[in-house]
Amino acid sequence: MPSANLAKQAAEHKPLPTPHGDFYNIVDTLSADERVILDKVRAFMETKVAPIINKYWVADAFPFELIEPLKKLDIGGIGDAYSYKLRGMLIMEMCRIDASFATFYGVHTGLAMGSIAVLGSEEQKQKWLPTMARLEKIGCFGLTEPLVGSGTGGGLTTTAKRDGDNWVLNGQKKWIGNAPWCDISIIWARDVADNQVKGFIVENETTPGFSVEKIENKMALKVVQNGMITMQDCRIPEENRLQNANSFRDTAHVLRLTRSGVGWMATGVQMGAYEAALKYAQERLQFGKPIAAFQMMQDLIARMLANVTACQSMMLRLSEIEDENKLLDQHASLAKAFTTARMRETVAWAREICGANGIIVDNNVGRLFADAEALYSYEGTFQMQNLIVGKAVSGFSAFV
């Protein structure tokens, strides 16, 4: 009997498992070289970003002090050399700590650089991409407008008019991440001559008639600086028109690639919320024991982990499809819709586990809970993604 009591006491005092959001160890599918890069990014996020990000989130400000350390990671141009799987897991790792910082990085490397890489001429790629990869020039992506969100494919109001060797742009763009402070804007406008959507590389500081107003009072992704861009007779040289962007179909090609990135982001947010909530549950005492020891808490913990693991598994397969160059719109749309919907559940359960402490940023859950709402909507709403999937599998278009 004494030995049984000793064994029980030893079991009760054994170290608790460290919260770990990669239950199926998907990072083990990376090569050794890729794993080194992922570990480097994880260390950066944990040691540089995590200690300060809540302060900046509350202040609605961007941590410019992190730009120089980020440059040293040398991941600005990683898309040229590494797999979609690695790129996705890098975004997942960033979002595990903070979705705002990951959004800044994704807008720059995915949307802005991606537009030039996919749709630019060789001369444009050589001129812009190296400096952007070194984070010497930061970019944004101007598609959404004050009155046009989901309907950008056929309803852009920003216009572009050819005038000799220049184009004259007029219109507004809204919710443009990085816009208040970045150097380069990829602006999408409708050519008045042929009614087709064209893309333009706009140099913010040196383009007369180009102005940006920061959007205030956000409740999500507060670290990302979003802007309202106004263009009044902005003259853009023909050499700054994306030479291979001739219709919205080309714009959609860029969005397809970055939409899968949002799936990785939603997965990372869930990882962060799960790990933070589990840690809280292991330490929070009620009725004489940690709340993680109660059945109802363990039910929520298991539900969260299932969501995280399902999303990781889906995104892992999606990255394989991308690496095989077989990605279709419906593949990316299904992943974006599913992962963001599961993310909403996961962060809500994390908030529930933390009780009143879940609505403050101190333990990170409150911040991740709020940021999830932005990810749920941007890069195409849940409903729009489902219409893309529905059209692909049924053969009928329900778009109006």
Side-chain angles (χ1 to χ4, degrees):
M1 198 66 180
S3 60
N5 289 335
L6 288 174
K8 181 179 179 181
Q9 291 175 8
E12 289 175 348
H13 290 88
K14 68 180 181 180
L16 294 172
T18 300
H20 178 57
D22 186 6
F23 196 60
Y24 280 6
N25 297 316
I26 67 166
V27 298
D28 289 347
T29 64
L30 295 174
S31 69
D33 289 343
E34 290 176 325
R35 185 62 185 268
V36 169
I37 297 170
L38 187 72
D39 289 344
K40 186 170 60 173
V41 170
R42 171 174 279 231
F44 168 78
M45 294 301 295
E46 290 183 343
T47 62
K48 301 293 185 183
V49 180
I52 66 172
I53 203 65
N54 283 337
K55 175 184 71 174
Y56 280 99
W57 194 91
V58 171
D60 196 15
F62 185 83
F64 290 104
E65 65 189 89
L66 294 175
I67 296 293
E68 286 303 318
L70 181 63
K71 288 181 181 178
K72 295 177 181 177
L73 292 181
D74 193 27
I75 58 171
I78 202 167
D80 299 330
Y82 291 94
S83 66
Y84 282 103
K85 180 165 60 176
L86 173 61
R87 285 183 254 178
M89 289 192 196
L90 290 181
I91 289 290
M92 181 180 73
E93 278 297 334
M94 287 185 175
C95 280
R96 174 178 159 266
I97 300 297
D98 183 61
S100 291
F101 195 80
T103 297
F104 141 72
Y105 174 83
V107 167
H108 172 66
T109 62
L111 288 170
M113 290 181 65
S115 295
I116 298 173
V118 173
L119 302 174
S121 65
E122 287 304 314
E123 292 76 12
Q124 289 171 332
K125 294 175 188 178
Q126 292 171 17
K127 178 179 180 179
W128 298 106
L129 292 182
T131 56
M132 295 177 77
R134 294 191 298 269
L135 301 178
E136 295 169 3
K137 297 284 187 181
I138 302 297
C140 72
F141 182 88
L143 177 62
T144 301
E145 298 180 348
L147 299 178
V148 182
S150 296
T152 52
L156 278 189
T157 62
T158 298
T159 60
K161 184 176 181 180
R162 184 72 182 261
D163 183 15
D165 292 332
N166 295 291
W167 291 81
V168 180
L169 303 186
N170 282 284
Q172 288 186 310
K173 299 294 180 178
K174 192 174 183 181
W175 299 113
I176 311 305
N178 301 347
W181 60 276
C182 72
D183 307 287
I184 300 163
S185 298
I186 304 299
I187 297 295
W188 302 94
R190 187 169 299 283
D191 184 350
V192 297
D194 62 8
N195 206 37
Q196 294 298 317
V197 174
K198 307 287 173 63
F200 300 87
I201 304 169
V202 179
E203 300 173 67
N204 298 13
E205 293 297 322
T206 59
T207 302
F210 186 93
S211 62
V212 184
E213 178 184 357
K214 177 186 172 183
I215 296 175
E216 305 282 1
N217 304 320
K218 295 188 301 176
M219 61 161 276
L221 296 181
K222 289 163 66 65
V223 170
V224 178
Q225 305 300 285
N226 292 86
M228 166 85 87
I229 295 174
T230 299
M231 292 162 286
Q232 295 182 333
D233 295 328
C234 292
R235 300 186 72 83
I236 310 301
E238 164 64 13
E239 66 184 34
N240 277 25
R241 179 180 65 82
L242 290 175
Q243 296 299 302
N244 296 310
N246 299 305
S247 71
F248 187 77
R249 197 176 288 271
D250 298 319
T251 316
H253 180 57
V254 178
L255 293 174
R256 179 194 313 151
L257 298 175
T258 56
R259 187 168 291 144
S260 62
V262 180
W264 282 109
M265 294 180 76
T267 304
V269 167
Q270 292 181 75
M271 287 178 69
Y274 163 77
E275 292 177 357
L278 176 54
K279 183 176 185 294
Y280 180 88
Q282 289 172 322
E283 298 172 353
R284 174 69 169 175
L285 300 178
Q286 287 292 295
F287 308 107
K289 59 182 179 180
I291 62 173
F294 290 95
Q295 289 184 348
M296 294 184 72
M297 289 295 101
Q298 291 195 3
D299 177 67
L300 291 179
I301 290 167
R303 288 171 182 263
M304 287 193 295
L305 183 58
N307 273 355
V308 173
T309 305
C311 291
Q312 288 169 336
S313 300
M314 172 180 271
M315 294 311 303
L316 182 62
R317 176 56 190 148
L318 188 73
S319 69
E320 293 173 347
I321 294 173
E322 286 185 276
D323 284 325
E324 294 166 0
N325 198 30
K326 296 178 180 178
L327 183 72
L328 300 176
D329 288 336
Q330 56 265 34
H331 295 144
S333 290
L334 183 66
K336 198 276 179 177
F338 180 83
T339 57
T340 54
R342 300 291 75 74
M343 171 189 63
R344 265 183 150 186
E345 291 179 343
T346 302
V347 297
W349 289 330
R351 211 284 315 153
E352 186 174 345
I353 286 174
C354 293
N357 289 324
I359 66 170
I360 56 176
V361 299
D362 298 52
N363 62 7
N364 302 318
V365 169
R367 171 169 51 81
L368 292 167
F369 177 85
D371 287 348
E373 284 303 293
L375 271 66
Y376 182 70
S377 295
Y378 73 24
E379 287 271 7
T381 64
F382 180 80
Q383 291 77 15
M384 292 298 288
Q385 308 301 346
N386 285 343
L387 289 179
I388 292 171
V389 174
K391 177 182 177 181
V393 299
S394 73
F396 297 101
S397 175
F399 287 97
V400 293

